[in-house]
Amino acid sequence: MQLRTKFILLAVLPLVASLLLIALAVRHQERELVQREHALVERAYMEARRAELKSYVALAVSTVKPLYEAPGDPLAQRAQALKLLASLDYGPDGYFFVYDLDGNSLMHSRQPELVGRNLWDMRDPQGRPTIQELIAQARQGGGFVDYLWRRPSKGQVEAKLGYVVPLDRWGWMIGTGLYLGDLHATMEQLDAQASSNIATTLLWIAGIAVFGVALISSTGLLLNVSEHRIADAKLRLLAHQVVQSQEDERAHLARELHDGTSQTLVATKLLVESAVDALEAGRPLPARVLATALERLKTCLDEVRRISHRLRPAMLDDSLGLPAALQALGREFEDDGGAGLVEVSLQGEPVELPELVKTVLFRVAQEALTNAAKHAAAAHLQLGLSFEPGRVRLQISDDGAGFDEAAVQEHPRQGIGLRNMRERLASIGGRLQIRSQPGAGTEVRAEVPLPSNSTSTASA
């Protein structure tokens, strides 16, 4: 999986999940808020309407009260009272009605066709006996009744809240009511407005999510491009360093062969040729000629052995293994004068290491000693190899000049050797730790895990 894909997944998915949870929480909270607002508005509306109905009925009762309490002809007084009540209204759907306690309609200003009819058995579309419920509430001293009734202004049946009171002496029930269709329309308007607000909020959250994803994607793209450029620069530099190292090694090997081995072989060839010429001419052959040629051949063999050992120590391939190769490496650095005193130590019981592990650890030690000799000007170096349960550890420390590790790691043209060591160890599952400070020396520690079936060198 590419770096950009990992970056986008690790950044975008939590962002989208968080915004989705926020959207769900906002939607849930707004729904609850709408329900609470709905209940609050409905309660306030109904309380206001109940108080309004009580006021209207109190006004109607006060209008007929003089006739109700005055002495005189009861029939004339009742007829006059019905006329007064019929003249009272408060809007196209606000009117009063009068029934006797037997269910006979005495006055209905908006539906005169009902006057004179007995409506005791009348039922609304839900099957409830409307007039019986109103009269029953009046017999209990008055109160509110919910029922269905045709609305005069619209000609359709709607929910209605009625309020009735009795006139006991006349055997009447006086009442009025308010249609609740306006309340339902108001509630629907509130619900529509709340749904619009929720939709707007969710659109804002979706817009923020799209913007965040776009920003993260563009940032990831820029980061990916930048990392690619840095990686390409480091790779090119590393490839150049590898090629340069190969060329340097070849040039060094060519100089060694030309200046040392080749010259020795030429001198030996000349001695052998002079001996051959003497033998062919029948002259006596000086003993020192062959002795000198033999000595120079021995010197040439030693030189070839030294060059071969530098390329790859033979001790890595025999029974002596890595510890002996490290000791030889320390002596070689002492003899060459590239470093000061090199102290090699061994801890734990040696085990037979895989070929690749031996080679990597030897190269790490070689690179560390080379760096110490070239850059640290160390007078004393310690090279320790420790065999521990499940791992082998190589530690190289010096008392040299030290360096700023962070600055070297960030510099594109420095720390190539350190990166080489890290990459070598990473290829076999190991890790490299470096501790260094300017003027305080350097410590390089390499650790490699070992398979559980590793055997000791002694038992092998």
Side-chain angles (χ1 to χ4, degrees):
M1 187 178 294
Q2 297 182 354
L3 175 64
R4 180 178 61 183
T5 305
K6 293 181 180 179
F7 182 85
I8 292 176
L9 289 178
L10 292 176
V12 171
L13 291 182
L15 174 63
V16 173
S18 300
L19 291 176
L20 181 60
L21 292 177
I22 291 174
L24 293 176
V26 168
R27 182 179 179 85
H28 177 70
Q29 292 295 328
E30 288 197 4
R31 285 295 182 187
E32 289 188 350
L33 180 62
V34 168
Q35 292 177 359
R36 291 194 296 268
E37 184 180 1
H38 195 289
L40 181 62
V41 171
E42 184 176 4
R43 184 167 59 251
Y45 181 89
M46 295 303 296
E47 289 178 356
R49 291 297 178 263
R50 288 189 177 95
E52 185 180 356
L53 289 177
K54 285 185 177 181
S55 299
Y56 289 152
V57 173
L59 176 62
V61 171
S62 64
T63 299
V64 300
K65 187 175 182 180
L67 296 174
Y68 183 74
E69 296 180 348
D73 183 7
L75 294 178
Q77 290 174 343
R78 293 177 185 178
Q80 183 65 27
L82 291 175
K83 290 181 180 180
L84 290 175
L85 292 174
S87 64
L88 297 177
D89 61 39
Y90 46 92
D93 297 319
Y95 57 88
F96 294 92
F97 53 82
V98 180
Y99 290 85
D100 64 18
L101 298 181
D102 293 327
N104 296 305
S105 175
L106 303 179
M107 189 277 296
H108 200 295
S109 59
R110 296 295 187 273
Q111 292 178 281
E113 69 275 8
L114 299 179
V115 177
R117 293 174 54 186
N118 186 286
L119 304 178
W120 180 263
D121 296 328
M122 180 180 182
R123 295 180 178 272
D124 63 12
Q126 296 181 354
R128 295 182 302 175
T130 305
I131 305 303
Q132 292 182 29
E133 291 181 356
L134 290 171
I135 294 175
Q137 189 66 42
R139 289 182 184 275
Q140 295 177 6
F144 296 96
V145 178
D146 292 319
Y147 59 97
L148 299 176
W149 199 267
R150 185 174 64 87
R151 186 168 186 166
S153 62
K154 296 182 178 181
Q156 60 186 16
V157 177
E158 291 185 9
K160 187 176 183 179
L161 176 65
Y163 181 72
V164 294
V165 294
L167 292 179
D168 295 328
R169 192 161 61 86
W170 287 354
W172 285 5
M173 174 192 68
I174 299 177
T176 187
L178 292 173
Y179 292 93
L180 302 179
D182 296 337
L183 173 62
H184 296 160
T186 302
M187 294 298 102
E188 291 177 357
Q189 184 178 0
L190 287 176
D191 292 341
Q193 185 176 0
S195 299
S196 176
N197 292 337
I198 293 174
T200 302
T201 302
L202 294 179
L203 286 177
W204 272 101
I205 294 176
I208 293 173
V210 171
F211 175 77
V213 171
L215 181 61
I216 292 174
S217 300
S218 59
T219 304
L221 179 61
L222 292 177
L223 178 61
N224 191 37
V225 172
S226 176
E227 288 294 329
H228 271 300
R229 289 178 178 175
I230 295 175
D232 288 342
K234 290 182 178 180
L235 184 60
R236 287 194 297 269
L237 183 60
L238 183 60
H240 175 73
Q241 187 72 18
V242 169
V243 173
Q244 187 65 38
S245 299
Q246 290 177 347
E247 294 299 324
D248 292 343
E249 187 65 26
R250 289 173 180 174
H252 175 75
L253 183 59
R255 287 194 301 269
E256 291 282 346
L257 293 175
H258 180 270
D259 297 340
T261 307
S262 179
Q263 297 295 334
T264 303
L265 289 175
V266 169
T268 304
K269 176 178 177 293
L270 292 175
L271 290 174
V272 172
E273 287 178 349
S274 65
V276 170
D277 292 340
L279 290 175
E280 290 179 350
R283 297 193 303 270
L285 179 64
R288 61 180 180 84
V289 174
L290 293 179
T292 303
L294 182 61
E295 182 179 354
R296 290 184 179 180
L297 283 175
K298 182 179 179 183
T299 302
C300 182
L301 288 174
D302 292 339
E303 185 69 18
V304 171
R305 190 177 294 110
R306 184 181 66 82
I307 295 174
S308 175
H309 176 78
R310 180 176 178 84
L311 294 176
R312 176 177 174 82
M315 286 179 286
L316 283 177
D317 301 323
D318 57 26
S319 60
L320 298 178
L322 181 62
L326 294 178
Q327 290 176 356
L329 180 64
R331 289 193 301 269
E332 179 183 340
F333 268 82
E334 286 184 353
D335 296 339
D336 291 345
L341 177 63
V342 180
E343 181 181 345
V344 181
S345 62
L346 177 66
Q347 295 182 356
E349 183 180 359
V351 297
E352 183 65 25
L353 299 176
E355 191 68 27
L356 185 59
V357 173
K358 292 190 293 184
T359 302
V360 168
L361 290 178
F362 180 81
R363 294 305 181 192
V364 169
Q366 193 176 44
E367 182 71 30
L369 291 178
T370 301
N371 290 339
K374 185 183 299 184
H375 305 292
H380 184 262
L381 293 94
Q382 292 182 338
L383 194 156
L385 183 65
S386 176
F387 291 90
E388 302 175 2
R391 66 176 181 176
V392 59
R393 182 176 64 188
L394 175 67
Q395 182 171 323
I396 305 99
S397 58
D398 65 69
D399 58 356
F403 61 92
D404 187 346
E405 181 186 356
V408 170
Q409 291 292 338
E410 294 176 0
H411 199 283
R413 296 186 177 274
Q414 296 180 358
I416 299 296
L418 300 180
R419 283 193 286 271
N420 287 341
M421 288 191 287
R422 279 199 172 90
E423 290 174 1
R424 285 179 183 272
L425 288 168
S427 66
I428 59 173
R431 62 174 183 169
L432 182 72
Q433 294 179 340
I434 299 175
R435 297 178 183 176
S436 182
Q437 291 182 356
T442 303
E443 179 182 284
V444 177
R445 178 180 297 179
E447 292 185 359
V448 179
L450 295 178
S452 58
N453 58 353
S454 297
T455 58
S456 64
T457 303
S459 62

